[in-house]
Amino acid sequence: MGSVIVASELEGRLKGRVQAARRSVLTEDVYERVKSLIMNGDLEPGARVNIYAVARLLDVSQTPVREVLAALESEGLLTKEALRGYSVASVLTPDQVADLYQLRLLLEPWAAARAAERVTPDGAARLRAELGSLPQAPQGTRYEDYHDIAAHDARFHDLVAELSGSPALRDSLQRTHGHLHLFRIEYEGRSSGEPTLAEHARICAGVTSGLPEEAEQAMRDHLTAARERFLRIGPSQ
């Protein structure tokens, strides 16, 4: 069981460490700040996340906080129980990570091949633009440091799924990516993102060139390598 953090305790632990959210981009700002608390381990797995405490902590109304907590639940970072509210989801075990990657290996190589078969000039341009949005992997051990590559990775895989033309597959993969976020609490900051970018480049080449077999194999190789990187490093003990 993780710790239970009530409103006053949450404020007491984190007051002064979190800046008030900028009102000009309120919901997005609240989202990033709450997510960073989870991803950096300031809110531990099992900790309750009180709407009122978060609103006071960030100096915002409860409305954007409710929207953000619902979004984080849909991503798998939070869980919600009747009469108890939101809690930080448990970190995946290595076996659960391996299981999720097995699912991805069944779905995403097919999606990459299908995307290559269906690719249009606009789709190819979008995929190249996403690949070019992060020319170099960032370094650092906190969520703020590796946020860019984590966000790029999610966008890249989501775009390939979108280009495959299967909304059901895309929805399934979005949920799968959300489940892997918590494993990244301990993983991302201790791993270089350069292999990921190189593997994405190979997938992009296969899809944009309209080569289904090459795109499928590139995606399979990427997921296999990513799984091994996750499981080799694993969460810190």
Side-chain angles (χ1 to χ4, degrees):
M1 289 290 293
S3 58
V4 175
I5 300 181
V6 297
S8 59
E9 188 179 350
L10 177 67
E11 292 176 284
R13 281 182 55 180
L14 302 176
K15 196 70 175 177
R17 297 168 60 183
V18 182
Q19 298 178 355
R22 292 174 287 121
R23 298 182 187 280
S24 60
V25 286
L26 193 56
T27 300
E28 179 182 351
D29 206 43
V30 170
Y31 172 87
E32 284 299 334
R33 292 185 184 281
V34 176
K35 188 172 182 178
S36 71
L37 292 175
I38 297 171
M39 298 297 286
N40 287 326
D42 294 316
L43 290 174
E44 299 173 353
R48 290 178 62 184
V49 182
N50 183 284
I51 292 173
Y52 311 106
V54 173
R56 287 198 294 268
L57 188 67
L58 302 183
D59 190 24
V60 297
S61 70
Q62 296 169 23
T63 299
V65 175
R66 291 181 189 277
E67 295 175 2
V68 164
L69 297 190
L72 292 171
E73 181 196 12
S74 72
E75 293 181 24
L77 291 177
L78 297 177
T79 59
K80 186 178 183 181
E81 297 181 55
L83 305 180
R84 288 179 56 84
Y86 291 100
S87 300
V88 179
S90 299
V91 178
L92 296 177
T93 67
D95 284 346
Q96 289 172 319
V97 171
D99 187 53
L100 283 177
Y101 267 98
Q102 186 59 44
L103 174 63
R104 292 181 68 182
L105 280 162
L106 292 173
L107 298 177
E108 293 195 70
W110 176 88
R114 182 77 180 273
E117 292 172 349
R118 297 167 53 90
V119 69
T120 63
D122 177 68
R126 291 174 62 199
L127 197 60
R128 291 190 187 103
E130 178 54 50
L131 186 66
S133 69
L134 192 68
Q136 182 176 349
Q139 302 297 319
T141 60
R142 289 180 63 81
Y143 172 68
E144 293 82 1
D145 300 317
Y146 63 78
H147 166 273
D148 288 347
I149 192 165
H152 160 71
D153 184 65
R155 290 193 306 265
F156 183 86
H157 284 270
D158 180 64
L159 182 53
V160 172
E162 178 189 341
L163 296 177
S164 77
S166 174
L169 181 143
R170 186 183 183 192
D171 289 344
S172 176
L173 291 178
Q174 285 176 337
R175 183 67 176 177
T176 299
H177 289 305
H179 281 301
L180 287 169
H181 277 312
L182 278 173
F183 199 82
R184 291 188 170 108
I185 291 174
E186 302 290 349
Y187 167 78
E188 288 282 6
R190 295 181 291 127
S191 174
S192 170
E194 294 298 338
T196 294
L197 296 182
E199 290 154 12
H200 283 184
R202 186 177 161 214
I203 295 166
C204 180
V207 172
T208 58
S209 298
L211 300 172
E213 291 184 3
E214 284 79 352
E216 180 177 358
Q217 188 61 52
M219 179 65 81
R220 181 172 290 108
D221 291 345
H222 167 51
L223 293 174
T224 300
R227 179 183 61 190
E228 293 307 310
R229 288 193 292 269
F230 265 68
L231 298 179
R232 181 173 62 250
I233 298 175
S236 62
Q237 301 298 317

